[in-house]
């Protein structure tokens, strides 16, 4: 079924690769409920919704696309979801926000079924794509440092260094040190094992306490949150969330496609610089995003941590089938995950390190070309400083065509990019952000 011999692999290698991929990305099961919980979404709801979205997307990738690329709710987008709800001062609840995610997911499916997605991807300059990835990386690292108390509010400078002697911060630094050692030793699953080590320290220092049970049957307290496309569209129109839908769609579009191509290249699965079965691979993410929104999680994305599984020899969908099975098993350990997620220091090192991995995209930006570099710089700078992915993208997409016009290179800009610039200008000036 998976054409193992054709890809030069075997069952044992594929299963080992799947376990490696799962261990490198399993932190999302803990981190996602923590981030969305700040928006008021019940922990159990997000916990199971995260797993449902991951299982649907990863199984689709395994059984229909036959790629070793795992799918799960994306980091950065979950933070944007929460910040959007909190910034509304009660005007927007998480149900309305999930309606926006649902609509963007349906649009994502439509784009994946047509050639429009390819046209959109080709229209966006490479430098801005790299900047989006890098900006999200800084945003994630900022969240990790803020949640753990490494940085705190400061009246003079907005942010400042926290109390390094406080138990939560000391635990964070210890966990970060241990995880960095694991990463330096090229230990597969270094981030996950770092979280385990930090959790053990937290337990013996009294910062982590477990309840009576570590296992329970998974549940969805809120049931299906959003299911009717018409009602979802009406909510988006009522609250003017067009910019939000567009932001979710845009970020997911480029993040997922870039990751898929990168991992496929690493695995040697590209043929004539093209990705076979690309439509099924793209549908894996878009279908998972729609399904995840229905039960209560932010948009999904292809996980760059899949490259760890590829490095371990994964080449086919059997790798991702293994990942999906392990996510299903994780669904029965909700109380354990809930206890761990209550200690920010356990997850903060993972956020900081994942941010450091994503910021590496800046090396691909053409810094010697100012009309390319400055819009990319705005994206990278604005995302963490405004705590908004959408605002960062908007500033970059507005400044890029303007720079090209002033340089006399307006013909080199794709017409669609001018449309994006107008839409983002409207979003910043009129729509809430």
């Amino acid at each position: 079924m998976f054409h193992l011999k054709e890809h030069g692999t075997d069952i044992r290698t594929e299963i080992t690769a799947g376990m490696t991929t799962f261990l490198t990305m399993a932190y999302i099961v803990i981190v996602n409920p923590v981030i969305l919980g700040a928006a008021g979404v019940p922990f159990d709801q997000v916990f199971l919704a995260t797993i449902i979205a991951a299982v649907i997307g990863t199984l689709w990738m395994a059984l229909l696309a036959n790629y070793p690329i795992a799918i799960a709710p994306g980091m950065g987008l979950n933070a944007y979801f929460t910040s959007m709800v909190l910034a509304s001062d009660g005007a927007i609840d998480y149900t309305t926000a999930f309606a926006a995610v649902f609509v963007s997911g349906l649009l994502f499916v439509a784009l994946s079924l047509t050639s429009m997605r390819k046209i959109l991807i080709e229209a966006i300059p490479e430098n801005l794509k790299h900047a989006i990835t890098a900006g999200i990386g800084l945003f994630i690292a900022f969240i990790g440092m803020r949640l753990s108390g490494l940085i705190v509010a400061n009246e003079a400078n907005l942010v400042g260094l926290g109390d390094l002697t406080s138990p939560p911060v000391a635990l964070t630094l210890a966990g970060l040190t241990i995880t960095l050692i694991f990463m330096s030793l090229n230990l597969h699953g270094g981030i996950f094992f770092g979280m385990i080590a930090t959790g053990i320290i937290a337990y013996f220092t009294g910062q982590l306490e477990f309840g009576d049970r570590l296992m329970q049957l998974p549940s969805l307290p809120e049931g299906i949150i959003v299911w009717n496309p018409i009602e979802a569209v009406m909510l988006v129109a009522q609250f003017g969330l067009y910019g939000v839908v567009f932001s979710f769609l845009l970020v997911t579009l480029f993040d997922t496609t870039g990751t898929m191509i990168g991992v496929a290249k690493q695995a040697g699965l590209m043929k004539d610089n093209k990705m076979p079965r690309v439509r099924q691979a793209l549908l894996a993410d878009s279908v998972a995003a729609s399904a995840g929104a229905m039960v209560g999680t932010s948009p999904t994305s292809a996980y760059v941590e899949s490259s760890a599984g590829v490095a371990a020899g994964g080449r086919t969908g059997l790798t991702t089938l293994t990942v999906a099975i392990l996510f299903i098993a994780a669904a029965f350990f909700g109380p354990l995950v809930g206890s761990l997620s209550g200690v920010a220091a356990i997850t903060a090192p993972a956020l900081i390190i994942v941010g450091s991995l994503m910021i590496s995209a800046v090396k691909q930006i053409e810094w010697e070309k100012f009309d390319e570099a400055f819009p990319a710089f705005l994206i990278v700078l604005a995302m963490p400083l405004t705590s908004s992915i959408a605002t960062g993208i908007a500033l970059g997409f507005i400044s890029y065509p303007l720079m090209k016009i002033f340089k006399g290179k307006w013909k080199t800009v794709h017409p669609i990019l001018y449309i994006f610039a107008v839409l983002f200008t409207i979003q910043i000036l009129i729509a809430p952000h």
Side-chain angles (χ1 to χ4, degrees), residues 345-388:
I346 296 176
T347 57
L351 294 172
I352 295 169
I353 290 175
V354 170
S356 74
L357 296 175
M358 296 181 72
I359 191 63
S360 65
V362 297
K363 66 183 179 183
Q364 305 293 336
I365 298 173
E366 297 177 283
W367 294 107
E368 69 280 2
K369 298 179 180 179
F370 191 67
D371 53 331
E372 294 282 339
F374 187 74
F377 169 73
L378 275 183
I379 292 175
V380 176
L381 181 69
M383 283 188 185
L385 293 186
T386 64
S387 292
S388 171

Side-chain angles (χ1 to χ4, degrees), residues 226-417:
V226 136
W227 64 272
N228 190 325
I230 297 176
E231 290 183 0
V233 171
M234 290 177 64
L235 281 174
V236 168
Q238 178 183 347
F239 290 93
L241 300 178
Y242 306 108
V244 173
V245 170
F246 184 68
S247 299
F248 277 137
L249 181 62
L250 197 64
V251 176
T252 308
L253 180 67
F254 299 125
D255 184 56
T256 295
T257 306
T259 299
M260 285 183 182
I261 292 174
V263 175
K265 282 184 177 180
Q266 178 192 3
L269 301 175
M270 300 286 285
K271 296 181 179 179
D272 299 325
N273 207 32
K274 295 182 179 179
M275 191 174 175
R277 306 176 304 281
V278 65
R279 177 168 294 181
Q280 293 296 345
L282 297 175
L283 278 171
D285 183 45
S286 53
V287 169
S290 301
M294 293 175 68
V295 290
T297 189
S298 49
T300 55
S301 178
Y303 261 62
V304 72
E305 286 85 352
S306 302
S307 60
V310 169
R315 293 294 181 272
T316 74
L318 183 54
T319 293
T320 35
L321 176 61
T322 303
V323 175
I325 291 173
L326 291 174
F327 266 116
I328 292 173
F332 295 90
F333 290 89
L336 173 61
V337 175
S339 297
L340 294 173
S341 65
V343 183
I346 296 176
T347 57
L351 294 172
I352 295 169
I353 290 175
V354 170
S356 74
L357 296 175
M358 296 181 72
I359 191 63
S360 65
V362 297
K363 66 183 179 183
Q364 305 293 336
I365 298 173
E366 297 177 283
W367 294 107
E368 69 280 2
K369 298 179 180 179
F370 191 67
D371 53 331
E372 294 282 339
F374 187 74
F377 169 73
L378 275 183
I379 292 175
V380 176
L381 181 69
M383 283 188 185
L385 293 186
T386 64
S387 292
S388 171
I389 293 172
T391 301
I393 293 176
L395 294 177
F397 278 51
I398 292 171
S399 60
Y400 186 87
L402 284 176
M403 294 282 292
K404 292 298 183 180
I405 290 173
F406 294 142
K407 290 279 290 187
K409 300 179 181 179
W410 63 273
K411 289 184 179 180
T412 63
V413 181
H414 197 288
I416 290 182
L417 209 62

Side-chain angles (χ1 to χ4, degrees), residues 81 96-106 244-245 248 289-290 292-293 297-299:
F81 178 97
T96 303
F98 280 130
V101 177
F102 185 51
V103 171
S104 69
L106 294 178
V244 173
V245 170
F248 277 137
S290 301
T297 189
S298 49

Side-chain angles (χ1 to χ4, degrees), residues 1-15 17-18 21 58 61-70 263 267 269 277 306 309-310 313-323:
M1 177 178 181
F2 297 105
H3 306 286
L4 300 181
K5 291 183 179 180
E6 179 183 330
H7 289 90
T9 184
D10 54 47
I11 294 176
R12 179 179 178 180
T13 300
E14 293 291 300
I15 292 177
T21 296
T58 304
M61 188 70 76
L63 303 178
L64 298 178
N66 196 25
Y67 278 112
I69 303 171
V263 175
L269 301 175
R277 306 176 304 281
S306 302
V310 169
R315 293 294 181 272
T316 74
L318 183 54
T319 293
T320 35
L321 176 61
T322 303
V323 175

Side-chain angles (χ1 to χ4, degrees), residues 28-38 40-53 73 94 98 213-225 292 294-297 327 330-342:
I28 191 62
V29 178
I30 300 175
V31 174
N32 203 40
V34 172
I35 294 178
L36 295 189
V41 191
F43 175 87
D44 289 345
Q45 184 80 21
V46 187
F47 174 74
L48 188 54
T50 300
I51 292 175
I52 289 173
Y94 64 78
F98 280 130
R213 296 182 300 170
L214 298 181
M215 297 179 61
Q216 73 176 24
L217 290 176
S219 65
L220 287 171
E222 303 288 321
I224 297 178
I225 295 177
M294 293 175 68
V295 290
T297 189
F327 266 116
F332 295 90
F333 290 89
L336 173 61
V337 175
S339 297
L340 294 173
S341 65

